Amino acid sequence: MSKYYFKMDTGLEWDDLVAGPEEKIRFKNVKFGSNAVIERGMLLAEDSDSVVAPATASDTNKPLYIAKSDFEAGSDTGVIDTVFSRGLFNRSKIKVSEGVDINDFEEPLRKVNILLTDIIPLKGEY
């Protein structure tokens, strides 16, 4: 499994967000609101109008996703981008809004087949 992802402006970069192939990764195109600034690995929630934004502490009962890439919507409303809707992810690489504890979202994420795990980094050459 590759731990690299490609960014248009800087090329290949090291990435531990995806934690393994044990759970198939699935993607979904979602709609973002205006002025959304999203970072890869950010925990996202969908509201009743099907607009996705960074998850808040009260979003445990909403559809949840993980941001696939860095993204800025600008002033446009309803801009579409792709997110992870299923897979195995490194808990320490998930970015959450201030006041949000990722542990509160573990069960709601598991219900939508987004699984969190810890990765122990290896040192040395291999």
Side-chain angles (χ1 to χ4, degrees):
M1 181 194 74
S2 173
K3 290 193 179 195
Y4 291 92
Y5 74 102
F6 191 79
K7 287 180 74 174
M8 293 302 290
D9 55 343
T10 59
L12 289 177
E13 293 198 8
W14 181 254
D15 184 4
D16 281 335
L17 177 61
V18 177
E22 295 80 9
E23 182 70 29
K24 286 187 177 188
I25 293 178
R26 296 281 188 241
F27 306 100
K28 181 178 182 178
N29 290 333
V30 296
K31 179 172 54 171
F32 287 90
S34 62
N35 300 319
V37 178
I38 307 299
E39 294 179 35
R40 178 174 166 85
M42 187 175 281
L43 179 64
L44 305 170
E46 185 176 315
D47 67 15
S48 59
D49 295 327
S50 298
V51 175
V52 174
T56 64
S58 63
D59 288 340
T60 55
N61 292 324
K62 294 182 178 180
L64 299 169
Y65 308 103
I66 304 293
K68 183 177 173 287
S69 59
D70 295 336
F71 174 76
E72 287 188 41
S75 60
D76 296 333
T77 301
V79 176
I80 306 292
D81 197 32
T82 304
V83 296
F84 293 112
S85 61
R86 178 179 174 171
L88 180 63
F89 299 94
N90 183 353
R91 176 183 284 106
S92 67
K93 296 294 181 170
I94 303 296
K95 298 173 183 163
V96 294
S97 302
E98 188 173 326
V100 175
D101 184 357
I102 190 64
N103 296 321
D104 294 339
F105 283 86
E106 183 136 10
E107 184 62 30
L109 286 167
R110 191 178 300 128
K111 288 179 182 177
V112 295
N113 291 315
I114 295 177
L115 307 176
L116 303 179
T117 189
D118 293 310
I119 293 179
I120 301 169
L122 300 175
K123 297 194 180 218
E125 294 184 31
Y126 47 94

